[in-house]
């Protein structure tokens, strides 16, 4: 079997790599490298988006008529692979991968004209208002209500675990517009200006020193009815479309590849008992097993991108990738900590634009190693918990 990419794809990879090297500011790269690619500062995200916009590369996965690049699925894979490998800030995922496709598929012409160029150009940062206290996995029973009064909806309720809400200009929210029908049929999809009167945001301290996750309180927030996407009561359909639109991203394959490559390089440079860690009995087998799992995950993603015939529904495949990818995130981050030993325990406030003093006692790779491993304990919870994913696999693939 020949697992190499074809020559044309490798030429594409070199083109992307050269462009990133030319465009990526050093300060953005350094900040992203230190944080391990887990969370990009929203300021850096929008700056990088505006840089990519000059090449027309902010939404390459969108249809060409909406600003996409017309690349093949494998080209998109290589593009994202090179972005993460080069420590670029992430895209504004909420805009480019979530609400953007919903707007160009179901939105009005006015919404498309207003929001799609802004998403492409990095004008807005977007928040996703789905989960609620007590209704994370059970999203169909959300309680945030939107009552139509003339030309506005009056929204009241609470959302939680809303990433970067504190820095967001706009949010896309699931709200209940009808409580008399089946729960899924009474949900609508609203775009809300986060600066609207009645919107209160409280940041939640996290175990790794960040406070990116937020609670969002909506107290009689008036939202123009023109901000309703599609039809009233069809929000559940749009939410499923949003979550299914990128079925391979939940694998975090790009992050896993990059972080394992860093761990492998680290193991080759550190020694114990006079033996480099990549050859030491304590780590050699562990490295080999993780390398096999990363390779298997990558080829599983590529099979999905190539639309290889699959006997089970796509939802089951997406859940399998989520389970494997989230577990790998945890295993690789724990490997980083174990390889570094006591050097991994360095701790300081998580202030994105401040760099700690250099010291030979604390190599660059020790920065945020423990914080990363701690926060990734949530990798098997966010985006659909491990238990929920297993239930989906059992039900959808095997009818259990």
């Amino acid at each position: 079997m020949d697992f190499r990419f074809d020559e044309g794809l490798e030429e594409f990879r070199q083109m992307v790599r050269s462009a990133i090297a030319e465009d990526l500011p050093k300060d953005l790269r350094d900040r992203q490298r230190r944080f391990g690619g887990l969370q990009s500062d929203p300021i850096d995200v929008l700056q990088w988006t505006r840089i990519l916009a000059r090449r027309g590369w902010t939404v390459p996965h969108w249809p060409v008529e909406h600003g996409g690049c017309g690349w093949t699925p494998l080209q998109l894979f290589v593009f994202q692979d090179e972005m993460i490998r080069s420590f670029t800030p992430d895209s504004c995922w909420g805009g480019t991968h979530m609400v953007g496709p919903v707007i160009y598929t179901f939105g009005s012409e006015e919404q498309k004209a207003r929001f799609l160029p802004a998403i492409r150009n990095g004008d807005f940062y977007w928040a996703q208002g789905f989960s609620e206290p007590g209704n994370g996995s059970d999203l169909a029973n959300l309680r945030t209500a939107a009552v139509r009064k003339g030309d506005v909806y009056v929204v009241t309720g609470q959302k939680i675990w809303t990433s970067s809400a504190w820095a967001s200009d706009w949010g896309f929210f699931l709200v209940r517009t009808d409580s008399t029908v089946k729960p899924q049929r009474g949900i609508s999809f609203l775009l809300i200006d986060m600066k609207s009167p009645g919107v209160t945001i409280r940041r939640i301290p996290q175990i790794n020193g960040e406070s990116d996750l937020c609670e969002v309180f909506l107290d009689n927030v008036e939202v123009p009815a023109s901000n309703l996407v599609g039809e009233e009561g069809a929000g559940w359909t749009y939410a499923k479309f949003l979550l299914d639109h990128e079925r391979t991203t939940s694998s975090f394959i790009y992050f896993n590849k990059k972080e394992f490559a860093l761990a492998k390089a680290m193991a080759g440079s550190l020694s114990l008992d006079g033996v480099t860690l990549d050859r030491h009995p304590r780590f050699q087998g562990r490295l080999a097993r993780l390398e096999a799992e990363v390779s298997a995950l990558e080829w599983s993603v590529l099979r999905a991108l190539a639309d290889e015939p699959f006997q089970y529904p796509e939802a089951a495949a997406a859940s399998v990738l989520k389970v494997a990818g989230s577990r790998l995130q945890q295993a690789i981050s724990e490997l980083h900590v174990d390889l570094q030993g006591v050097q991994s325990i360095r701790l300081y406030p998580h202030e994105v634009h401040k760099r700690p003093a250099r010291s030979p006692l604390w190599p660059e790779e020790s920065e945020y190693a423990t914080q990363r491993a701690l926060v990734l304990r949530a990798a098997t919870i966010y985006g659909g918990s491990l238990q929920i994913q297993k239930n989906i696999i059992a039900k959808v693939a095997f009818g259990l």
Side-chain angles (χ1 to χ4, degrees), residues 332-342 344-345 369-371 373:
I332 293 170
S333 67
E334 290 165 8
L335 175 61
H336 274 256
V337 171
D338 291 344
L339 286 170
Q340 295 170 47
V342 295
S344 70
I345 64 174
T370 296
Q371 287 107 310

Side-chain angles (χ1 to χ4, degrees), residues 264-271 276-278 365:
K264 191 174 179 181
M266 190 189 313
S269 65
L270 300 174
S271 298
T276 57
L277 297 185
D278 60 343
E365 59 266 21

Side-chain angles (χ1 to χ4, degrees), residues 76-88:
L76 291 171
F77 177 89
V78 167
F79 174 74
Q80 191 63 33
D81 196 27
E82 285 300 311
M83 293 272 282
I84 300 299
R85 189 198 67 82
S86 302
F87 297 98
T88 70

Side-chain angles (χ1 to χ4, degrees), residues 50-70:
R50 289 189 285 269
I51 291 171
L52 284 179
R54 297 199 292 262
R55 293 184 182 269
W57 286 3
T58 53
V59 288
H61 55 293
W62 286 14
V64 173
E65 61 269 27
H66 296 303
C69 294

Side-chain angles (χ1 to χ4, degrees), residues 78-392:
V78 167
F79 174 74
Q80 191 63 33
D81 196 27
E82 285 300 311
M83 293 272 282
I84 300 299
R85 189 198 67 82
S86 302
F87 297 98
T88 70
D90 204 349
S91 67
C92 181
W93 204 261
T96 59
H97 286 71
M98 292 183 171
V99 73
V102 172
I103 291 173
Y104 68 62
T105 303
F106 304 105
S108 66
E109 292 305 314
E110 187 273 334
Q111 290 170 347
K112 294 175 188 177
R114 181 181 185 185
F115 293 110
L116 297 185
I119 292 172
R120 292 195 299 265
N121 296 332
D123 294 339
F124 301 144
Y125 202 90
W126 287 82
Q128 178 190 19
F130 282 18
S131 295
E132 298 184 0
N135 290 311
S137 299
D138 188 19
L139 192 57
N141 287 313
L142 63 87
R143 295 188 294 269
T144 296
V147 179
R148 181 74 180 263
K149 294 185 177 180
D151 293 332
V152 301
Y153 285 96
V154 179
V155 183
T156 302
Q158 180 185 356
K159 300 294 181 176
I160 197 168
W161 313 126
T162 309
S163 298
S164 298
W166 62 274
S168 296
D169 305 287
W170 282 84
F172 50 99
F173 287 74
L174 291 184
V175 296
R176 185 163 303 285
T177 48
D178 190 344
S179 59
T180 65
V181 296
K182 182 180 177 181
Q184 289 89 340
R185 297 185 62 185
I187 295 172
S188 298
F189 196 104
L190 273 184
L191 308 179
I192 299 180
D193 184 339
M194 300 297 282
K195 303 300 189 293
S196 300
V199 176
T200 303
I201 298 168
R202 187 177 74 86
R203 300 176 72 170
I204 303 172
Q206 296 162 218
I207 194 171
N208 66 334
E210 294 180 346
S211 54
D212 184 66
L213 300 174
C214 302
E215 290 179 285
V216 179
F217 300 90
L218 303 129
D219 184 15
N220 293 317
V221 179
E222 294 190 359
V223 180
S226 59
N227 288 8
L228 173 73
V229 176
E231 300 176 7
E232 189 173 286
W236 185 256
T237 297
Y238 306 152
K240 289 196 298 180
F241 170 86
L242 180 155
L243 297 172
D244 290 342
H245 192 71
E246 290 289 329
R247 56 196 167 108
T248 61
T249 56
S250 60
S251 69
F252 286 92
I253 182 57
Y254 314 108
F255 173 89
N256 283 320
K257 283 182 62 180
K258 174 176 66 64
E259 289 300 301
F260 179 75
L262 291 173
K264 191 174 179 181
M266 190 189 313
S269 65
L270 300 174
S271 298
L272 180 64
D273 304 324
V275 180
T276 57
L277 297 185
D278 60 343
R279 297 182 178 277
H280 196 283
R282 291 189 185 179
F283 291 99
Q284 191 174 28
R286 188 172 169 187
L287 284 161
R289 183 176 63 254
L290 286 175
E291 186 165 22
E293 290 182 14
V294 170
S295 181
L297 180 63
E298 180 176 22
W299 285 103
S300 295
V301 168
L302 290 171
R303 289 168 64 189
L305 291 174
D307 288 325
E308 181 180 87
F310 188 62
Q311 62 176 316
Y312 301 110
E314 289 184 359
S319 291
V320 168
L321 293 175
K322 170 66 167 66
V323 169
S326 57
R327 282 176 163 171
L328 262 179
Q329 281 186 288
Q330 294 174 344
I332 293 170
S333 67
E334 290 165 8
L335 175 61
H336 274 256
V337 171
D338 291 344
L339 286 170
Q340 295 170 47
V342 295
Q343 288 183 323
S344 70
I345 64 174
R346 187 182 195 190
L347 180 68
Y348 48 84
H350 192 110
E351 297 182 24
V352 174
H353 294 284
K354 293 184 179 180
R355 187 175 183 85
R358 285 290 186 187
S359 168
L361 297 176
W362 305 102
E364 184 180 42
E365 59 266 21
S366 73
E367 298 181 22
Y368 292 104
T370 296
Q371 287 107 310
R372 242 188 343 261
L374 288 172
V375 79
L376 278 173
R377 300 313 305 163
T380 47
I381 300 173
Y382 55 63
S385 71
L386 185 64
Q387 293 78 10
I388 293 295
Q389 299 304 322
K390 287 183 175 181
N391 284 343
I392 291 172

